[in-house]
Amino acid sequence: MPSLLLIEDEDAIRRVLKKILLDEDQNYTIDEAEDGLLGVDMIKKKTYDLVLCDIKMPKMDGLEVLSACQKLQPELPVVMISGHGDLETAVETMRMGAFDYISKPPDLNRLLNTVRIALDHTQLAQENKQLKRKVSKQFEMIGNSTELTHIKSMIDKVAPTEARVMITGENGTGKELVAHWLHEKSNRNKGPFIEVNCAAIPSELIESELFGHVKGAFTSANKDRAGKFEAANGGTIFLDEIGDMSLSAQAKVLRALQENKVQRVGSDKDIKVDVRVIAATNKNLKEEIEKKNFREDLYHRLAVIIIHVPALQERKADIPELIQHFTEQIAQEQGTKPKTFDEEAIELLKQLNWTGNIRELRNVVERLIILGNQKISKEDVNTFVQLKSS
């Protein structure tokens, strides 16, 4: 049910506006404030979907109310109500961030249309916020171990910069989570985040995937196609498992980093791109350089900042929290009541050798939830999990 606040010092105008709005939609809840000070106090105590505010009022005028609203609830749309002599001020409020303004006496259709659009804006902003929370939760980094705390601190320092980052670590440690958070906390977070698994793309197709191609460039190229670098323009491209990239593709990535330009396969036309590159690998790239499998100049371009994600063996203090997180996540996915793990079961799981890291832990938790009792015991772990102790 949309909640509106009407701030207006003239009682008669408040009554007229309230009647017009309630005649339009009885589902509106409308609070009233007879001056700006009272209105701001009400906004401090309650979350509104829309504020309609007069400009000229005693105690606190509409400009001051608007300024206070932007500090208290930045996404709250404020529609200003202006008298005939206030039009210049009304325009100024738009520059300050007001959603719109309505002249007195209010035109019925304009008032209702403005209110509808403003409430749609609020709903959309709330849906976007919820969606972003879901996305953020999906890539949440669980744990408070010293090792993970260090990584979070590194992300906070590095993310707002344009520095390129190389993320290292074994498979299943969560390198992609670090990449997502580097993007989320960067100034590019409103731009795209494009992920490329270099190990999953055949070597003969990697250049087309990264840089695109023109029609006729090769047998199956029946139309022009943009590559991942173009798709990531204004945002971040995450090159996962970059150690598996062919030397030919490495050369083109190096050029893209040096000149901020790419060429589609089969074309000699330069396309400008503005992309932040984050790379990840489970290989020792210095050894790959010695074997002539990886370009040293590309390595130094990419590894401005190196973030190493430790194996689960090195952050066992996080295992209880990870088990709890996966238990809740799996129960939500399956639509069932979450099971619990007793202390002995958790302690036994902490002692195991997690060669598959966090990915393996999640699989084991899911197996125990499906096959184990409502309260998962040490016996359940011994029965359903065959892993070596560390």
Side-chain angles (χ1 to χ4, degrees), residues 20-102:
I20 291 171
L21 292 168
L22 290 177
D23 284 347
E24 165 71 5
D25 193 331
Q26 288 294 326
N27 286 325
Y28 291 158
T29 61
I30 302 176
D31 293 341
E32 300 176 54
E34 60 199 32
D35 61 63
L37 274 176
L38 178 59
V40 170
D41 189 52
M42 292 169 76
I43 291 164
K44 287 178 182 176
K45 295 174 182 174
K46 181 176 174 179
T47 300
Y48 289 97
D49 297 304
L50 173 64
V51 171
L52 292 149
C53 181
D54 191 16
I55 290 179
K56 285 193 174 176
M57 293 182 294
K59 297 184 181 178
M60 179 184 279
D61 67 23
L63 294 175
E64 294 171 298
V65 172
L66 176 61
S67 180
C69 280
Q70 289 174 327
K71 291 174 184 172
L72 294 168
Q73 295 183 40
E75 293 175 356
L76 175 63
V78 180
V79 175
M80 309 305 295
I81 305 168
S82 65
H84 181 69
D86 302 331
L87 283 176
E88 192 174 324
T89 309
V91 172
E92 177 61 24
T93 64
M94 295 289 286
R95 290 199 194 97
M96 288 175 61
F99 187 83
D100 204 348
Y101 68 87
I102 296 168

Coordinates of all heavy atoms in Angstrom, one line a residue, residues 20-102:
I20 N -8.5 14.5 -3.6 CA -8.2 14.2 -5.0 C -7.5 12.8 -5.1 O -7.8 11.9 -5.8 CB -7.3 15.3 -5.7 CG1 -8.1 16.5 -5.9 CG2 -6.8 14.8 -7.0 CD1 -7.3 17.7 -6.4
L21 N -6.5 12.7 -4.2 CA -5.6 11.5 -4.2 C -6.4 10.2 -3.7 O -6.3 9.2 -4.3 CB -4.4 11.6 -3.3 CG -3.4 12.7 -3.8 CD1 -2.4 13.0 -2.8 CD2 -2.7 12.1 -5.1
L22 N -7.3 10.4 -2.7 CA -8.0 9.3 -2.2 C -9.2 8.9 -3.1 O -9.5 7.7 -3.2 CB -8.6 9.6 -0.8 CG -7.5 9.6 0.3 CD1 -8.1 10.0 1.6 CD2 -6.7 8.3 0.4
D23 N -9.7 9.9 -3.9 CA -10.7 9.6 -4.9 C -10.1 8.7 -6.0 O -10.8 7.9 -6.6 CB -11.3 10.8 -5.5 CG -12.3 11.5 -4.5 OD1 -12.7 10.8 -3.5 OD2 -12.7 12.7 -4.7
E24 N -8.8 9.0 -6.3 CA -8.1 8.2 -7.3 C -7.8 6.8 -6.9 O -8.0 5.8 -7.6 CB -6.8 9.0 -7.7 CG -5.8 8.1 -8.5 CD -6.2 7.9 -9.9 OE1 -7.3 8.4 -10.3 OE2 -5.5 7.2 -10.6
D25 N -7.3 6.6 -5.6 CA -6.9 5.3 -5.1 C -7.1 5.2 -3.6 O -6.3 5.9 -2.9 CB -5.5 5.0 -5.5 CG -5.1 3.6 -5.4 OD1 -5.6 2.9 -4.5 OD2 -4.2 3.1 -6.1
Q26 N -8.1 4.5 -3.2 CA -8.3 4.4 -1.7 C -7.3 3.6 -1.0 O -7.2 3.5 0.2 CB -9.7 3.7 -1.5 CG -10.9 4.5 -1.9 CD -11.1 5.7 -1.0 OE1 -10.8 5.7 0.2 NE2 -11.5 6.9 -1.5
N27 N -6.3 3.0 -1.8 CA -5.3 2.2 -1.1 C -4.1 3.1 -0.6 O -3.2 2.6 0.1 CB -4.7 1.1 -2.1 CG -5.7 0.0 -2.3 OD1 -6.3 -0.4 -1.3 ND2 -5.7 -0.6 -3.5
Y28 N -4.1 4.4 -1.0 CA -3.1 5.3 -0.5 C -3.3 5.5 1.0 O -4.4 5.7 1.4 CB -3.2 6.6 -1.2 CG -2.8 6.7 -2.7 CD1 -3.3 7.7 -3.5 CD2 -2.0 5.7 -3.3 CE1 -2.9 7.7 -4.9 CE2 -1.7 5.7 -4.6 CZ -2.1 6.8 -5.4 OH -1.8 6.8 -6.7
T29 N -2.2 5.5 1.7 CA -2.2 6.0 3.1 C -1.5 7.4 3.0 O -0.4 7.5 2.5 CB -1.5 5.1 4.1 OG1 -0.1 5.0 3.7 CG2 -2.1 3.7 4.1
I30 N -2.2 8.4 3.5 CA -1.7 9.8 3.4 C -1.6 10.4 4.8 O -2.5 10.5 5.5 CB -2.6 10.6 2.5 CG1 -2.8 10.0 1.2 CG2 -2.1 12.1 2.4 CD1 -3.8 10.7 0.2
D31 N -0.3 10.7 5.2 CA 0.0 11.5 6.4 C 0.1 13.0 6.0 O 0.5 13.3 4.9 CB 1.2 11.0 7.0 CG 1.1 9.6 7.6 OD1 0.0 9.1 7.8 OD2 2.2 8.9 7.8
E32 N -0.2 13.8 7.0 CA -0.2 15.3 6.8 C 0.8 15.9 7.7 O 0.9 15.5 8.9 CB -1.6 15.9 6.9 CG -2.6 15.3 5.9 CD -4.0 15.9 6.2 OE1 -4.1 17.1 6.2 OE2 -5.0 15.1 6.4
A33 N 1.4 17.0 7.2 CA 2.3 17.8 8.1 C 2.0 19.3 7.7 O 2.0 19.6 6.5 CB 3.7 17.5 7.9
E34 N 1.8 20.1 8.7 CA 1.4 21.5 8.5 C 2.6 22.4 8.3 O 2.4 23.6 8.1 CB 0.5 22.0 9.6 CG 1.2 22.0 11.0 CD 0.1 22.0 12.1 OE1 -1.0 21.5 12.0 OE2 0.5 22.6 13.2
D35 N 3.8 21.9 8.5 CA 5.0 22.7 8.3 C 6.2 21.8 8.0 O 6.1 20.6 8.2 CB 5.3 23.7 9.4 CG 5.6 22.9 10.7 OD1 6.6 22.2 10.8 OD2 4.8 23.1 11.7
G36 N 7.3 22.4 7.5 CA 8.4 21.6 7.1 C 9.1 20.9 8.2 O 9.6 19.8 8.0
L37 N 9.2 21.6 9.4 CA 9.9 20.9 10.5 C 9.2 19.6 10.9 O 9.8 18.6 11.1 CB 9.9 21.9 11.7 CG 11.1 22.9 11.8 CD1 10.9 23.8 13.0 CD2 12.4 22.1 11.9
L38 N 7.8 19.7 11.0 CA 7.1 18.5 11.3 C 7.2 17.4 10.3 O 7.4 16.2 10.6 CB 5.6 18.9 11.5 CG 4.6 17.7 11.8 CD1 5.1 17.0 13.1 CD2 3.2 18.2 11.9
G39 N 7.2 17.9 9.0 CA 7.4 16.9 7.9 C 8.7 16.2 7.9 O 8.7 14.9 7.8
V40 N 9.8 16.9 8.2 CA 11.1 16.3 8.2 C 11.1 15.3 9.4 O 11.7 14.2 9.3 CB 12.2 17.3 8.3 CG1 13.6 16.7 8.7 CG2 12.3 18.1 7.0
D41 N 10.5 15.7 10.5 CA 10.5 14.8 11.7 C 9.8 13.5 11.4 O 10.2 12.4 11.8 CB 9.8 15.5 12.9 CG 10.0 14.8 14.2 OD1 11.1 14.4 14.5 OD2 9.0 14.5 14.8
M42 N 8.7 13.6 10.6 CA 7.9 12.4 10.2 C 8.7 11.5 9.3 O 8.6 10.3 9.4 CB 6.6 12.8 9.6 CG 5.6 13.5 10.6 SD 4.2 14.3 9.8 CE 3.2 12.8 9.5
I43 N 9.5 12.1 8.4 CA 10.3 11.4 7.5 C 11.4 10.6 8.2 O 11.8 9.5 7.8 CB 10.9 12.3 6.4 CG1 9.8 12.8 5.5 CG2 12.0 11.6 5.6 CD1 10.2 14.0 4.6
K44 N 11.9 11.2 9.3 CA 12.9 10.5 10.2 C 12.4 9.3 10.8 O 13.1 8.3 11.0 CB 13.4 11.5 11.2 CG 14.3 12.6 10.8 CD 14.7 13.5 11.9 CE 15.6 14.6 11.4 NZ 15.9 15.6 12.5
K45 N 11.0 9.3 11.1 CA 10.4 8.2 11.8 C 9.8 7.1 11.0 O 9.5 6.0 11.4 CB 9.4 8.7 12.8 CG 10.0 9.6 13.9 CD 8.9 10.3 14.7 CE 9.5 11.2 15.8 NZ 8.4 11.9 16.5
K46 N 9.5 7.4 9.7 CA 8.7 6.5 8.9 C 9.3 6.5 7.4 O 9.7 7.6 7.0 CB 7.3 6.9 8.9 CG 6.3 6.0 8.1 CD 4.9 6.4 8.3 CE 4.0 5.7 7.3 NZ 2.5 6.0 7.5
T47 N 9.2 5.4 6.7 CA 9.6 5.4 5.3 C 8.4 5.6 4.4 O 7.4 4.9 4.5 CB 10.2 4.0 5.0 OG1 11.3 3.8 5.8 CG2 10.6 3.9 3.6
Y48 N 8.5 6.6 3.6 CA 7.4 7.0 2.7 C 7.8 6.6 1.2 O 9.0 6.5 0.9 CB 7.1 8.5 2.8 CG 6.5 8.9 4.1 CD1 7.2 9.4 5.1 CD2 5.1 8.8 4.2 CE1 6.6 9.8 6.3 CE2 4.5 9.1 5.4 CZ 5.2 9.6 6.5 OH 4.6 10.0 7.7
D49 N 6.8 6.5 0.4 CA 7.0 6.2 -1.0 C 7.0 7.5 -1.8 O 7.5 7.5 -2.9 CB 5.9 5.3 -1.5 CG 5.9 3.9 -0.9 OD1 7.0 3.3 -0.9 OD2 4.9 3.5 -0.3
L50 N 6.4 8.6 -1.3 CA 6.3 9.8 -2.0 C 6.1 11.0 -1.1 O 5.3 10.8 -0.1 CB 5.2 9.8 -3.1 CG 4.9 11.0 -3.8 CD1 6.1 11.5 -4.7 CD2 3.7 10.8 -4.7
V51 N 6.7 12.1 -1.3 CA 6.4 13.3 -0.5 C 5.9 14.4 -1.5 O 6.5 14.6 -2.5 CB 7.7 13.8 0.2 CG1 7.4 15.2 0.8 CG2 8.1 12.8 1.3
L52 N 4.8 15.0 -1.1 CA 4.3 16.2 -1.8 C 4.5 17.4 -0.9 O 4.0 17.4 0.3 CB 2.8 16.1 -2.1 CG 2.5 15.0 -3.2 CD1 1.1 14.4 -2.9 CD2 2.5 15.6 -4.6
C53 N 5.3 18.4 -1.3 CA 5.8 19.4 -0.4 C 5.6 20.8 -1.0 O 6.0 21.1 -2.1 CB 7.2 19.2 0.0 SG 7.9 20.4 1.1
D54 N 5.0 21.7 -0.2 CA 4.8 23.1 -0.6 C 6.2 23.8 -0.5 O 7.1 23.3 0.2 CB 3.9 23.8 0.4 CG 3.5 25.2 -0.1 OD1 3.7 25.5 -1.3 OD2 2.9 26.0 0.7
I55 N 6.4 24.8 -1.3 CA 7.7 25.5 -1.3 C 7.7 26.6 -0.2 O 8.7 26.6 0.6 CB 8.0 26.2 -2.7 CG1 8.2 25.0 -3.7 CG2 9.2 27.1 -2.6 CD1 8.5 25.5 -5.1
K56 N 6.7 27.5 -0.2 CA 6.7 28.6 0.8 C 6.0 28.1 2.1 O 4.8 28.0 2.0 CB 6.2 29.8 0.2 CG 7.1 30.5 -0.8 CD 6.7 31.9 -1.1 CE 7.7 32.6 -2.0 NZ 7.2 33.9 -2.4
M57 N 6.7 28.0 3.2 CA 6.1 27.6 4.4 C 6.8 28.2 5.6 O 8.0 28.5 5.4 CB 6.1 26.0 4.6 CG 5.3 25.2 3.6 SD 5.4 23.5 4.0 CE 7.1 23.1 3.6
P58 N 6.2 28.4 6.7 CA 6.9 28.9 7.9 C 7.8 27.9 8.5 O 7.6 26.7 8.2 CB 5.7 29.3 8.8 CG 4.6 28.4 8.4 CD 4.7 28.2 6.9
K59 N 8.7 28.3 9.4 CA 9.6 27.4 10.1 C 10.7 26.8 9.2 O 11.8 26.9 9.5 CB 8.8 26.4 10.9 CG 7.9 26.9 11.9 CD 7.2 25.8 12.7 CE 6.3 26.4 13.8 NZ 5.6 25.3 14.5
M60 N 10.3 26.1 8.2 CA 11.2 25.5 7.3 C 10.6 25.4 5.9 O 9.5 24.9 5.7 CB 11.6 24.0 7.7 CG 12.5 23.3 6.8 SD 12.9 21.6 7.3 CE 14.1 21.9 8.6
D61 N 11.2 26.0 4.9 CA 10.6 26.1 3.5 C 10.9 24.8 2.8 O 11.6 23.9 3.2 CB 11.1 27.3 2.7 CG 12.6 27.3 2.4 OD1 13.2 26.2 2.3 OD2 13.1 28.4 2.1
G62 N 10.3 24.7 1.6 CA 10.4 23.5 0.8 C 11.8 23.1 0.3 O 12.1 21.9 0.2
L63 N 12.6 24.1 0.1 CA 14.0 23.9 -0.3 C 14.8 23.2 0.8 O 15.5 22.2 0.6 CB 14.7 25.2 -0.7 CG 14.2 25.9 -1.9 CD1 15.0 27.2 -2.1 CD2 14.4 25.1 -3.2
E64 N 14.5 23.6 2.0 CA 15.2 23.0 3.2 C 14.7 21.6 3.4 O 15.4 20.6 3.8 CB 15.0 23.8 4.4 CG 15.7 25.2 4.4 CD 15.3 26.1 5.5 OE1 14.1 26.4 5.6 OE2 16.2 26.4 6.3
V65 N 13.4 21.4 3.2 CA 12.8 20.0 3.3 C 13.4 19.1 2.3 O 13.8 18.0 2.6 CB 11.2 20.1 3.2 CG1 10.7 18.7 3.1 CG2 10.6 20.9 4.3
L66 N 13.5 19.6 1.1 CA 14.0 18.7 0.0 C 15.5 18.3 0.3 O 15.9 17.2 0.1 CB 14.0 19.5 -1.3 CG 14.7 18.9 -2.6 CD1 14.0 17.5 -2.9 CD2 14.6 19.8 -3.8
S67 N 16.3 19.3 0.8 CA 17.6 19.0 1.2 C 17.7 18.0 2.3 O 18.5 17.0 2.2 CB 18.3 20.3 1.6 OG 19.7 20.1 2.0
A68 N 16.8 18.1 3.3 CA 16.8 17.1 4.4 C 16.4 15.7 3.9 O 17.0 14.7 4.3 CB 15.9 17.6 5.5
C69 N 15.4 15.7 3.0 CA 15.0 14.4 2.4 C 16.1 13.7 1.7 O 16.2 12.4 1.8 CB 13.8 14.6 1.4 SG 12.2 14.9 2.2
Q70 N 16.9 14.4 1.0 CA 18.0 13.8 0.2 C 19.0 13.2 1.1 O 19.7 12.2 0.7 CB 18.6 14.8 -0.8 CG 17.7 15.2 -1.9 CD 18.2 16.3 -2.8 OE1 18.9 17.2 -2.3 NE2 17.9 16.2 -4.1
K71 N 19.2 13.7 2.3 CA 20.1 13.1 3.3 C 19.5 11.9 4.0 O 20.2 10.9 4.2 CB 20.5 14.2 4.3 CG 21.4 15.3 3.7 CD 21.7 16.4 4.7 CE 22.5 17.5 4.1 NZ 22.6 18.7 5.0
L72 N 18.2 12.0 4.3 CA 17.5 11.0 5.1 C 17.1 9.8 4.2 O 17.3 8.6 4.6 CB 16.2 11.6 5.8 CG 16.5 12.6 6.8 CD1 15.2 13.3 7.2 CD2 17.1 12.0 8.1
Q73 N 16.5 10.0 3.1 CA 16.1 9.0 2.2 C 16.4 9.4 0.7 O 15.5 9.9 0.0 CB 14.6 8.7 2.3 CG 14.2 8.1 3.7 CD 12.7 7.8 3.7 OE1 12.1 7.3 2.8 NE2 12.1 8.1 4.9
P74 N 17.6 9.2 0.3 CA 18.1 9.8 -1.0 C 17.2 9.3 -2.2 O 17.1 10.1 -3.2 CB 19.5 9.2 -1.2 CG 19.9 8.9 0.2 CD 18.7 8.5 1.0
E75 N 16.6 8.1 -2.2 CA 15.8 7.7 -3.3 C 14.3 8.1 -3.2 O 13.5 7.7 -4.1 CB 15.9 6.1 -3.4 CG 17.3 5.7 -3.7 CD 17.4 4.2 -3.7 OE1 16.5 3.5 -3.4 OE2 18.5 3.7 -4.1
L76 N 13.9 8.8 -2.2 CA 12.5 9.2 -2.0 C 12.2 10.3 -2.9 O 12.8 11.4 -2.9 CB 12.3 9.7 -0.5 CG 11.0 10.2 -0.2 CD1 9.9 9.2 -0.3 CD2 11.0 10.8 1.3
P77 N 11.2 10.1 -3.9 CA 10.8 11.2 -4.8 C 10.0 12.3 -4.0 O 9.1 12.0 -3.2 CB 9.9 10.4 -5.8 CG 9.4 9.2 -5.2 CD 10.4 8.8 -4.1
V78 N 10.4 13.5 -4.3 CA 9.7 14.7 -3.7 C 9.1 15.5 -4.8 O 9.9 16.0 -5.7 CB 10.7 15.5 -2.8 CG1 10.0 16.7 -2.2 CG2 11.4 14.6 -1.7
V79 N 7.8 15.7 -4.8 CA 7.1 16.6 -5.7 C 6.8 17.9 -5.0 O 6.2 17.9 -4.0 CB 5.8 15.9 -6.2 CG1 5.1 16.8 -7.2 CG2 6.2 14.6 -7.0
M80 N 7.3 19.0 -5.6 CA 7.1 20.3 -5.0 C 5.8 20.9 -5.5 O 5.4 20.7 -6.6 CB 8.3 21.2 -5.4 CG 9.7 20.6 -5.1 SD 9.9 20.1 -3.4 CE 9.8 21.6 -2.5
I81 N 5.2 21.6 -4.6 CA 3.9 22.4 -4.9 C 4.2 23.8 -4.9 O 4.7 24.4 -3.9 CB 2.8 22.0 -3.9 CG1 2.6 20.5 -3.8 CG2 1.5 22.7 -4.2 CD1 1.8 20.1 -2.6
S82 N 4.1 24.5 -6.0 CA 4.5 25.9 -6.1 C 3.3 26.8 -6.4 O 2.4 26.5 -7.2 CB 5.5 26.0 -7.3 OG 5.0 25.7 -8.5
G83 N 3.3 28.0 -5.8 CA 2.4 29.0 -6.1 C 2.8 29.7 -7.4 O 3.9 29.5 -7.9
H84 N 2.0 30.6 -7.9 CA 2.3 31.3 -9.2 C 3.6 32.0 -9.2 O 4.4 32.0 -10.1 CB 1.2 32.3 -9.5 CG 1.4 33.0 -10.8 ND1 1.3 32.3 -12.0 CD2 1.7 34.3 -11.1 CE1 1.5 33.2 -13.0 NE2 1.8 34.4 -12.5
G85 N 4.0 32.7 -8.0 CA 5.2 33.4 -7.9 C 6.4 32.6 -7.6 O 7.5 33.1 -7.5
D86 N 6.2 31.3 -7.4 CA 7.3 30.4 -7.0 C 7.9 29.6 -8.1 O 8.7 28.7 -7.9 CB 6.8 29.4 -5.9 CG 6.2 30.1 -4.7 OD1 6.7 31.2 -4.4 OD2 5.3 29.5 -4.1
L87 N 7.5 29.9 -9.4 CA 7.9 29.0 -10.5 C 9.5 29.0 -10.7 O 10.0 27.9 -10.9 CB 7.3 29.5 -11.8 CG 5.8 29.0 -12.0 CD1 5.2 29.6 -13.2 CD2 5.7 27.5 -12.0
E88 N 10.1 30.1 -10.5 CA 11.6 30.1 -10.6 C 12.2 29.3 -9.5 O 13.1 28.5 -9.8 CB 12.1 31.6 -10.5 CG 13.5 31.7 -10.9 CD 14.0 33.2 -10.9 OE1 13.1 34.1 -11.2 OE2 15.1 33.4 -10.5
T89 N 11.6 29.4 -8.3 CA 12.1 28.5 -7.2 C 11.9 27.1 -7.5 O 12.7 26.2 -7.2 CB 11.5 28.9 -5.9 OG1 11.6 30.3 -5.7 CG2 12.1 28.2 -4.7
A90 N 10.7 26.8 -8.1 CA 10.3 25.4 -8.4 C 11.3 24.8 -9.4 O 11.7 23.6 -9.2 CB 8.9 25.3 -9.0
V91 N 11.7 25.6 -10.4 CA 12.8 25.1 -11.3 C 14.1 24.8 -10.6 O 14.8 23.8 -10.9 CB 13.0 26.1 -12.5 CG1 14.1 25.7 -13.3 CG2 11.7 26.2 -13.3
E92 N 14.4 25.7 -9.6 CA 15.6 25.5 -8.8 C 15.5 24.2 -8.1 O 16.5 23.4 -7.9 CB 15.8 26.7 -7.9 CG 17.0 26.5 -6.9 CD 18.3 26.4 -7.7 OE1 18.4 26.9 -8.8 OE2 19.3 25.9 -7.1
T93 N 14.3 23.8 -7.5 CA 14.2 22.6 -6.8 C 14.5 21.4 -7.7 O 15.0 20.3 -7.3 CB 12.8 22.4 -6.2 OG1 11.8 22.3 -7.2 CG2 12.5 23.6 -5.2
M94 N 14.1 21.5 -9.0 CA 14.4 20.4 -9.9 C 15.9 20.2 -10.1 O 16.4 19.1 -10.2 CB 13.8 20.7 -11.3 CG 12.3 20.7 -11.3 SD 11.5 19.1 -11.0 CE 11.8 18.4 -12.7
R95 N 16.6 21.3 -10.1 CA 18.1 21.2 -10.2 C 18.7 20.6 -8.9 O 19.7 19.9 -9.0 CB 18.7 22.6 -10.3 CG 18.4 23.3 -11.7 CD 19.4 24.4 -12.0 NE 19.0 25.2 -13.1 CZ 18.4 26.4 -13.0 NH1 18.0 26.8 -11.7 NH2 18.0 27.1 -14.0
M96 N 18.0 20.8 -7.8 CA 18.4 20.2 -6.5 C 18.1 18.7 -6.4 O 18.5 18.0 -5.5 CB 17.8 21.0 -5.4 CG 18.4 22.4 -5.2 SD 17.5 23.2 -3.9 CE 17.8 22.2 -2.4
G97 N 17.2 18.2 -7.3 CA 16.9 16.8 -7.2 C 15.4 16.5 -7.0 O 15.1 15.3 -6.8
A98 N 14.5 17.5 -7.0 CA 13.1 17.2 -6.9 C 12.6 16.4 -8.0 O 13.1 16.5 -9.1 CB 12.3 18.5 -6.8
F99 N 11.6 15.5 -7.8 CA 11.1 14.6 -8.8 C 10.4 15.4 -9.9 O 10.5 15.2 -11.1 CB 10.2 13.5 -8.2 CG 9.8 12.5 -9.2 CD1 10.6 11.5 -9.6 CD2 8.6 12.6 -9.9 CE1 10.3 10.5 -10.5 CE2 8.2 11.7 -10.8 CZ 9.0 10.6 -11.1
D100 N 9.5 16.4 -9.4 CA 8.7 17.2 -10.3 C 8.1 18.4 -9.5 O 8.3 18.4 -8.3 CB 7.6 16.4 -11.0 CG 7.1 17.0 -12.3 OD1 7.5 18.2 -12.5 OD2 6.4 16.3 -13.0
Y101 N 7.4 19.3 -10.1 CA 6.7 20.3 -9.4 C 5.3 20.5 -10.0 O 5.1 20.3 -11.2 CB 7.4 21.6 -9.3 CG 7.6 22.4 -10.6 CD1 6.6 23.3 -11.0 CD2 8.7 22.2 -11.4 CE1 6.7 23.9 -12.2 CE2 8.8 22.9 -12.6 CZ 7.9 23.7 -13.0 OH 8.0 24.4 -14.2
I102 N 4.4 20.9 -9.1 CA 3.0 21.1 -9.6 C 2.6 22.5 -9.1 O 2.8 22.9 -8.0 CB 2.0 20.1 -8.9 CG1 2.4 18.7 -9.4 CG2 0.6 20.4 -9.2 CD1 1.7 17.6 -8.6

